[in-house]
Amino acid sequence: MVIAPVLSIIGLSCYKPAAMLCASNWGISMSLIAVTGLLSQTLRCVHLPLYTWRRVEKRYAPVLRMLSIFLPVSCIWIVCSFWLDDPVEFPSNVRLVQNQSLLAAEKPQLAISALIENFTEPAPWFQFPYPGALGWPHLSLETAGVGAAMALISCLSSLGSYILCARMLRCPPLPPHSCNRGISMEGIGNILSGILGSICGAGSNIPSSGITGITQVGSRHSAQLCALLFILIGCSPRLSQLLMTIPSAVHGGTLSLTFSMAVGGGVSFFQYADIDSGRNIFIVGFTMFMALLVPRWLKAVPTKLDTGWPALDMLLMSLLTTPIFLGGVFSFILDNTVEGTLKERGLQSNVSAWDLSFKEETHKNQEGELAQTYELPPVLACRLPATYPFTQLCPPPTKTIAIAEGEDDKLLTAPPVVDIELGCMRSTDTSGASA
């Protein structure tokens, strides 16, 4: 009863940015959504043959569903690059040198065009980022308060992204050590982003998990290839300008699709709890309503929050205007304070509920396989010290019980069972011998 409302709130709280992006050209956004829905849902069962170098056997794959995002975005992007001039129709920040920005509020397209015309030199093809190239981060109590709030919200969003991705692919939930490693690497990425002068940090986002649910592509190779491409494009300002030519309507259509998957994924978690219970109905309704109401009220009248300490005001404003934080706090407090059974809270469901093919006797084997799948490579695992907090980044060691020679004969065995149909006594030993 905590995961379901939080994931639903994440998707519902992003309708305004998606609508602003789609407003630049609703025709393009609706075309993207229609084509993606056709490829990923209507034609998801269409399998096309795959041709490999070794033609041992003919293989088929749902290629249309796997490319249901790439094909529409690429085609619309290419078509719009010839005949559509996509101006910016909402306030945006344009990055300048020396860690400064320009806010374009009135007629931003003219301000941005004038800003671009002032830079007569073309962007270089290759520019390796180094620390302090765009200025060093300015540290103050206000920035520290906002940074602490954003770190907490980023952790919540990343955990929701991990859970949603596993849900979209119908995989068992990730082990804790794997989530710890992901959040740790995001923290390191945020530190590097600040040192290198980036305008945004590094973190797992919900749209990526939504795309995974639409395309059903969960291969690590695709994620590694995307990461390599982003690194190469980040070192080339000329190639980065190419990404800026993507129409805003394409971004709006993509956000509409991906965040709708977040809403659906959150609703699907209600099946593990007793949603007919009045307790759960109250928790879900109150949490989702207040998580969307409080941020809207504070953004309308920000002067109501005034403690006299600007750093604390910035911290509280950053937290209280984020629906995911409020939804997580409300649902966690209510779920742990309002009395309810384990079935009502959805705590009786085990890992087998994620996939019907899992059985109880394979539960332990599955946990061991997950630990081996998400463990660190042996080269890195052996170099980490066996102290806290590094022990939280690796799977826990498996405990094995060694039985001395001849000791297994002294173990107690189960009594024989009388088989009524055969009229004899049989042992419960796994060998299947009957007495």
Side-chain angles (χ1 to χ4, degrees), residues 269-281:
F269 275 97
F270 288 118
Q271 62 179 314
Y272 303 121
D274 187 7
I275 195 59
D276 293 331
S277 172
R279 168 191 181 274
N280 293 341
I281 294 176

Side-chain angles (χ1 to χ4, degrees), residues 2 14 32 78 95 104 124 130 134 143 163 175 195 211 228 242 278 285 321 372 394:
V2 178
C14 296
L32 176 65
I78 294 174
R95 185 60 186 270
Y130 58 91
L134 298 175
T143 57
I163 296 173
I195 294 176
I211 291 176
L228 180 61
L242 183 63
T321 54
Q372 295 179 0
C394 298

Side-chain angles (χ1 to χ4, degrees), residues 19 26 38 59 84 100-101 108 115 141 146 151 173 180 206 212 259 266 287 318 329 368 416:
W26 281 102
L38 176 67
R59 297 181 179 180
L84 180 64
Q100 297 177 357
S101 61
L115 178 65
L141 291 178
V146 175
N180 294 338
I206 296 297
T212 303
F259 281 107
T287 299
S318 301
V329 170

Side-chain angles (χ1 to χ4, degrees), residues 109-119:
Q109 61 272 17
L110 300 179
I112 295 174
S113 301
L115 178 65
I116 295 176
E117 292 177 357
N118 293 332
F119 294 97

Side-chain angles (χ1 to χ4, degrees), residues 2 5-6 9 156 287 291 323-333:
V2 178
V6 169
I9 290 170
L156 294 176
T287 299
I324 180 177
F325 174 78
L326 295 175
V329 170
F330 287 148
S331 59
F332 178 79
I333 293 177

Side-chain angles (χ1 to χ4, degrees), residues 130-281:
Y130 58 91
L134 298 175
W136 294 97
H138 297 167
L139 298 179
S140 61
L141 291 178
E142 289 80 3
T143 57
V146 175
M150 293 299 101
L152 178 59
I153 296 170
S154 177
C155 292
L156 294 176
S157 179
S158 298
L159 288 176
S161 179
Y162 301 155
I163 296 173
L164 179 63
C165 186
R167 178 61 183 167
M168 293 291 100
L169 297 176
R170 294 189 60 84
C171 296
L174 299 181
H177 60 83
S178 180
C179 298
N180 294 338
R181 287 203 308 270
I183 295 177
S184 300
M185 293 306 299
E186 291 176 9
I188 296 175
N190 289 326
I191 295 175
L192 293 177
S193 299
I195 294 176
L196 296 177
S198 175
I199 60 176
C200 60
S204 302
N205 54 0
I206 296 297
S208 298
S209 301
I211 291 176
T212 303
I214 294 174
T215 61
Q216 292 297 305
V217 176
S219 175
R220 293 182 179 178
H221 299 293
S222 59
Q224 294 169 356
L225 179 60
C226 291
L228 180 61
L229 289 176
F230 280 130
I231 293 176
L232 296 178
I233 294 176
C235 296
S236 177
R238 187 68 65 88
L239 294 178
S240 299
Q241 289 181 349
L242 183 63
L243 296 180
M244 298 299 296
T245 60
I246 301 178
S248 301
V250 173
H251 292 286
T254 305
L255 290 181
S256 301
L257 289 169
T258 53
F259 281 107
S260 62
M261 296 296 293
V263 177
V267 173
S268 66
F269 275 97
F270 288 118
Q271 62 179 314
Y272 303 121
D274 187 7
I275 195 59
D276 293 331
S277 172
R279 168 191 181 274
N280 293 341
I281 294 176

Side-chain angles (χ1 to χ4, degrees), residues 10 12 16 32 39 52 63 67 135 167 179 192 214 283 306 316 331 338 343 345 389 392 394 410 421 425:
I10 291 176
L12 294 175
K16 188 174 182 179
L32 176 65
L39 296 179
T52 59
V63 180
L67 301 178
R167 178 61 183 167
C179 298
L192 293 177
I214 294 174
I283 292 176
D306 186 8
L316 294 178
S331 59
V338 179
K343 182 179 179 180
R345 301 177 61 185
Q392 305 299 317
C394 298
K410 301 178 182 179
E421 296 182 357
M425 300 182 64

